[in-house]
Amino acid sequence: MRIITGKYKGRRFDIPRTFKARPTTDFAKENIFNVLNGYIDLEGARALDLFAGTGSISLEMLSRGCSQVVSVEADRNHHAFIRQCVERLGAKNAIVVKGDVFKFLKNCHQQFDFIFADPPYALERLPEIPALVLDANLLTEEGVMVMEHGANQDFSQDPRFVEHRAYGSVNFSIFRPTSGEKTVSPLTPTI
């Protein structure tokens, strides 16, 4: 696992072979962060990484200058791995929470500028996640949420959906709290 850019650019972490979590590919990670540059400046942003897995996205957000990164991961071994990576970086602005994401969302009263969610693609409650996050008022008014998911999920009917991006088998849906403004391809007629 490699950090793409920022102050920790090029740092690598070996993921234990026993891990079930699949880190977002470098190709997909680099591309979605490039897209995000048009939506949000991560420098100084408060960020939340739900279903943090290996911590790949959390570490990338720390490297890109987020003022605070909260990572939520239920698996004990994955949680410990993320903490070790954060310690190796010497990052003091990271909070690694071991716990259930759905319980965390119910009890969280902090707002974030950027929220990334990468649940297991087979998770039964996966379709609920954008609404749970957005209805809980966890995003600042100008905040952005990115949801990583499989190709079989379509969030385009959510009024806060902005756009969908796919990189190989990795799909991302982008949301804003009050958007309602979908990004339209120049080839798509508007009415």
Side-chain angles (χ1 to χ4, degrees), residues 44-48 62 65-70 93-95 110-112:
R46 290 171 315 229
L48 174 63
L62 287 166
C66 287
S67 63
Q68 180 188 56
V69 176
V70 178
N93 53 335
I95 300 169
Q110 180 179 350
Q111 281 197 317
F112 299 91

Side-chain angles (χ1 to χ4, degrees), residues 10-166:
R11 295 284 298 267
R12 294 182 180 276
F13 301 90
D14 294 325
I15 300 167
R17 295 181 192 268
T18 57
F19 276 21
K20 299 171 284 196
R22 39 142 185 71
T24 303
T25 65
D26 283 354
F27 175 73
K29 183 168 59 173
E30 184 169 13
N31 279 290
I32 195 60
F33 275 100
N34 286 340
V35 169
L36 286 171
N37 286 335
Y39 287 97
I40 188 170
D41 181 2
L42 290 176
E43 185 72 37
R46 290 171 315 229
L48 174 63
D49 186 6
L50 300 171
F51 305 95
T54 62
S56 174
I57 298 297
S58 294
L59 299 177
E60 194 69 37
M61 291 188 294
L62 287 166
S63 186
R64 291 171 185 254
C66 287
S67 63
Q68 180 188 56
V69 176
V70 178
S71 309
V72 182
E73 175 53 49
D75 183 277
R76 183 183 74 231
N77 295 328
H78 295 192
H79 170 264
F81 178 75
I82 297 167
R83 286 182 59 106
Q84 288 172 354
C85 293
V86 167
E87 287 170 12
R88 281 181 52 198
L89 292 177
K92 304 291 184 215
N93 53 335
I95 300 169
V96 185
V97 177
K98 183 189 170 305
D100 178 79
V101 165
F102 296 101
K103 288 180 183 171
F104 177 87
L105 291 174
K106 270 187 184 175
N107 297 309
C108 182
H109 302 293
Q110 180 179 350
Q111 281 197 317
F112 299 91
D113 303 300
F114 178 57
I115 299 175
F116 188 92
D118 181 11
Y121 289 3
L123 183 69
E124 191 174 310
R125 294 186 66 187
L126 184 146
E128 301 171 35
I129 294 168
L132 285 173
V133 169
L134 295 164
D135 292 346
N137 197 31
L138 297 179
L139 271 179
T140 58
E141 191 174 313
E142 297 299 317
V144 177
M145 176 184 175
V146 173
M147 173 87 165
E148 184 175 333
H149 55 84
N152 61 334
Q153 297 294 322
D154 179 9
F155 295 100
S156 62
Q157 296 309 306
D158 187 302
R160 295 153 301 188
F161 172 83
V162 179
E163 73 172 293
H164 171 262
R165 295 289 179 122

